[in-house]
Amino acid sequence: MTNYTHDTVPTEFIDANGIRFAYRRFGAKSGVPLVFFQHFMGNLDDHDSALTDAFAVDREVILFNNAGVASSTGTTPDTIRQAARDAAAFIDALGLKTIDVLAHSMGGLVGQQLAFDRPKLVRRLVLVGTGPRGGVGIGEMPPETRALFFEKYEHQEEMWLPILFTPSEASQAAGRAYLARMMARKDRDAAVSTETVQAQATAIGAYGAEKDETYTHLKELYQPTLVVNGNNDIIIPTINSYLIQQHAPNAQLILYPDANHGAHHQYPELFVRHTKIFLDAK
Amino acid sequence: MTNYTHDTVPTEFIDANGIRFAYRRFGAKSGVPLVFFQHFMGNLDDHDSALTDAFAVDREVILFNNAGVASSTGTTPDTIRQAARDAAAFIDALGLKTIDVLAHSMGGLVGQQLAFDRPKLVRRLVLVGTGPRGGVGIGEMPPETRALFFEKYEHQEEMWLPILFTPSEASQAAGRAYLARMMARKDRDAAVSTETVQAQATAIGAYGAEKDETYTHLKELYQPTLVVNGNNDIIIPTINSYLIQQHAPNAQLILYPDANHGAHHQYPELFVRHTKIFLDAK
């Protein structure tokens, strides 16, 4: 048996609802698989081997492109609710009855919606750099922050340095280490299309605009949930992480210092330790 | 060599500044000692063997009564600043040059002040169920909450059940387990006097009233700091834990679900794991 890693596991495909989903699946075949839900504009390559390989030591890790994203076919929907239904179709097609979800940013919106829609499918939920439906400033970025997603770079991956990391030397150094990990894999995923980016932006904006000032809907987030963020998330403000913890019935919050929207990429070892404690708790 | 535990370690005494400080010291003689800073109305017996014995496996644990508290002599001051100076006198008398601080509630106010006053003495700081100077609602409890501290019970230790734990069945069960641990030690500390309780209440109120709406003073909390609380601290509102994380330069926040002012007593194993990761980080 080949022990695949983040960088060597082949991309596979599975059909569901007329969509051909691209995914990568590797790691120890024991326990509940951990399915990663990707952020705005991200494809399979934007995941982090420092996380996936560490989790793969003791569980299966599954990365996937949702409908219309990069090497998956179909159309990216312009609602989070449909993205959650698409994700469910993919997971059902794999025949999985129980998963843990590790979801970042927009992925966290989709992951929460999946947990609401399919509570028996999702055992535990790890939400990084995200917020609740109708959260503070979700899809309402200041223009200069929004512009960060459309800057041109000689090495385009450097766009993520100001989005995911803080300006501090330590955070930027951690960011460059993450970019090196992100670029290490040889066979690259397809690009994310302009149409997909547009649809995702619309979906995030609409979900953010669906205000629920008492966050009553979070009372139905029954799953044990670990909420993680940096102290100063400029994309989905950190207060949203606090709000999820305050309103969900069984949520733990961990905030890291000197960190922005990509705290898990900045502190991968610490994040993996905290998350394994959470996922493996009795 | 005797391996003392929380329940068997004798109470010792040391003189400094005309005060005879009562303390208990045990655990592995390696690394930086962990000094516990006690809460309002608490004496040596109110600490938790599920925490202290677990930490003592790989470091020294020091519990002490500050000036005027229970079996320590002297007068309990009515300012947090003087309490911090008294604590420094005790630590200096022990000859310690570097300590880690694990401080709960009022102890957290004193611990932070010590870190401001003596930044080289305090290496790392763990702050549980506490807030910053001038924090939200510190020393401004609603009358019905304040009254919880003065209720009479047949078994007086039960006063802590509504103060430290939530009304949920799970939290109350954890609370009763903590009370059993708290009462397990045979030779009991002296009672805390009415004068001490009054002075402490005055000190907390005055420190809470010293408003600093931008929390600029927290910029000088240079030490790596772990802030821990329950999701709904009714004594020092949970938002204060968030505020420390947001304003201190190097603070991590962990909030636990379904927990009140005594989250560390409710989840002792998880708290010890999280805190050891923090204290032992490179």
Side-chain angles (χ1 to χ4, degrees):
Chain A
M1 172 191 151
T2 312
N3 282 318
Y4 287 121
T5 67
H6 184 94
D7 288 341
T8 63
V9 63
T11 304
E12 298 177 84
F13 297 90
I14 195 165
D15 292 307
N17 282 3
I19 299 155
R20 193 169 172 245
F21 288 94
Y23 69 102
R24 298 175 185 159
R25 182 174 183 171
F26 58 110
K29 298 223 181 323
S30 66
V32 177
L34 181 62
V35 182
F36 283 65
F37 281 50
Q38 188 56 291
H39 60 71
F40 177 58
M41 292 178 92
N43 68 16
L44 292 171
D45 294 333
D46 293 295
H47 292 286
D48 186 347
S49 60
L51 305 180
T52 58
D53 284 338
F55 285 116
V57 169
D58 41 29
R59 71 203 75 218
E60 273 199 294
V61 164
I62 299 173
L63 318 177
F64 76 107
N65 285 326
N66 212 339
V69 175
S71 50
S72 284
T73 66
T75 304
T76 300
D78 62 2
T79 69
I80 295 297
R81 283 181 177 75
Q82 185 56 43
R85 284 190 289 266
D86 292 340
F90 163 71
I91 293 155
D92 289 342
L94 290 180
L96 299 172
K97 301 298 178 208
T98 311
I99 61 168
D100 290 333
V101 168
L102 196 162
H104 180 213
S105 190
M106 180 195 76
L109 307 182
V110 179
Q112 286 171 80
Q113 189 60 50
L114 180 66
F116 294 134
D117 295 345
R118 298 283 301 274
K120 289 182 181 166
L121 180 61
V122 180
R123 188 190 71 119
R124 290 184 190 187
L125 201 52
V126 182
L127 299 173
V128 185
T130 195
R133 189 166 78 216
V136 178
I138 295 176
E140 299 164 359
M141 282 182 278
E144 64 274 19
T145 306
R146 193 176 170 76
L148 295 175
F149 288 91
F150 303 99
E151 287 278 339
K152 293 294 164 213
Y153 291 86
E154 189 188 337
H155 302 286
Q156 191 54 35
E157 68 273 16
E158 292 181 4
M159 69 178 275
W160 296 112
L161 290 175
I163 292 172
L164 297 177
F165 302 89
T166 79
S168 82
E169 208 173 309
S171 186
Q172 288 294 305
R176 291 190 178 278
Y178 162 59
L179 295 188
R181 295 194 297 273
M182 187 213 282
M183 301 306 289
R185 186 178 162 112
K186 295 259 163 33
D187 69 311
R188 308 295 293 174
D189 196 8
V192 177
S193 72
T194 307
E195 291 71 28
T196 285
V197 169
Q198 189 52 56
Q200 289 180 338
T202 302
I204 294 167
Y207 210 66
E210 243 185 83
K211 295 301 176 197
D212 170 13
E213 276 167 28
T214 55
Y215 297 100
T216 307
H217 72 282
L218 285 174
K219 297 278 168 248
E220 287 169 41
L221 197 65
Y222 302 115
Q223 291 82 358
T225 300
L226 173 63
V227 186
V228 174
N229 210 341
N231 66 307
N232 186 21
D233 186 333
I234 66 169
I235 306 303
I236 298 189
T238 302
I239 189 69
N240 289 291
S241 294
Y242 182 74
L243 287 169
I244 295 174
Q245 202 276 334
Q246 288 289 290
H247 294 281
N250 191 357
Q252 185 185 125
L253 175 67
I254 303 187
L255 298 181
Y256 296 121
D258 183 31
N260 181 7
H261 192 53
H264 56 327
H265 301 307
Q266 182 168 341
Y267 301 105
E269 287 178 36
L270 184 58
F271 172 77
V272 168
R273 286 184 78 175
H274 283 150
T275 302
K276 285 191 178 186
I277 288 173
F278 168 74
L279 291 176
D280 297 341
K282 296 285 171 267
Chain B
M1 169 191 156
T2 312
N3 282 319
Y4 287 122
T5 67
H6 184 95
D7 288 341
T8 63
V9 62
T11 303
E12 298 175 84
F13 297 91
I14 194 165
D15 292 308
N17 283 1
I19 298 156
R20 191 168 175 246
F21 288 94
Y23 69 102
R24 297 175 186 159
R25 183 175 183 172
F26 58 111
K29 297 223 181 323
S30 66
V32 177
L34 182 62
V35 183
F36 283 64
F37 281 51
Q38 189 56 292
H39 61 70
F40 177 59
M41 293 180 90
N43 68 15
L44 292 172
D45 294 332
D46 293 295
H47 291 286
D48 185 348
S49 61
L51 306 180
T52 57
D53 284 338
F55 285 116
V57 169
D58 41 29
R59 71 203 74 220
E60 274 198 294
V61 164
I62 299 172
L63 316 177
F64 76 107
N65 285 326
N66 211 340
V69 176
S71 49
S72 285
T73 67
T75 304
T76 299
D78 63 2
T79 70
I80 295 296
R81 282 180 179 75
Q82 184 57 41
R85 284 191 288 269
D86 291 339
F90 163 69
I91 293 155
D92 289 341
L94 290 180
L96 299 173
K97 302 298 179 207
T98 311
I99 60 168
D100 290 333
V101 167
L102 197 163
H104 180 213
S105 191
M106 180 195 76
L109 307 182
V110 179
Q112 285 173 81
Q113 189 60 49
L114 179 67
F116 293 135
D117 295 345
R118 298 283 302 276
K120 290 180 180 168
L121 180 62
V122 179
R123 188 190 72 119
R124 292 185 188 186
L125 202 52
V126 182
L127 299 173
V128 185
T130 191
R133 190 165 79 215
V136 177
I138 295 177
E140 298 165 0
M141 280 181 282
E144 65 276 18
T145 306
R146 194 180 168 76
L148 294 174
F149 288 92
F150 304 98
E151 287 278 339
K152 295 292 165 217
Y153 290 86
E154 187 187 340
H155 302 286
Q156 191 55 35
E157 67 274 16
E158 292 179 5
M159 68 177 276
W160 296 111
L161 290 174
I163 292 172
L164 297 176
F165 302 89
T166 79
S168 82
E169 206 174 311
S171 187
Q172 288 295 306
R176 291 189 177 278
Y178 162 60
L179 296 188
R181 296 194 297 273
M182 186 215 279
M183 300 307 288
R185 187 179 160 114
K186 296 258 163 34
D187 69 311
R188 309 295 292 174
D189 195 9
V192 177
S193 71
T194 307
E195 292 71 24
T196 284
V197 169
Q198 188 53 56
Q200 289 180 338
T202 302
I204 294 167
Y207 209 66
E210 246 187 80
K211 294 301 176 197
D212 168 14
E213 276 168 28
T214 57
Y215 298 101
T216 307
H217 72 281
L218 285 173
K219 296 280 169 245
E220 287 169 41
L221 197 65
Y222 301 115
Q223 289 83 356
T225 301
L226 173 63
V227 186
V228 174
N229 211 340
N231 67 307
N232 187 20
D233 185 334
I234 66 168
I235 305 303
I236 299 190
T238 302
I239 190 67
N240 290 290
S241 294
Y242 182 74
L243 288 169
I244 295 175
Q245 202 276 334
Q246 288 289 291
H247 293 282
N250 191 359
Q252 186 185 126
L253 175 67
I254 303 185
L255 298 182
Y256 296 121
D258 182 30
N260 180 7
H261 192 53
H264 56 328
H265 301 308
Q266 182 167 341
Y267 301 104
E269 287 179 36
L270 185 58
F271 172 77
V272 167
R273 286 185 79 176
H274 282 151
T275 301
K276 285 191 179 187
I277 288 173
F278 168 75
L279 290 176
D280 296 341
K282 296 286 169 266

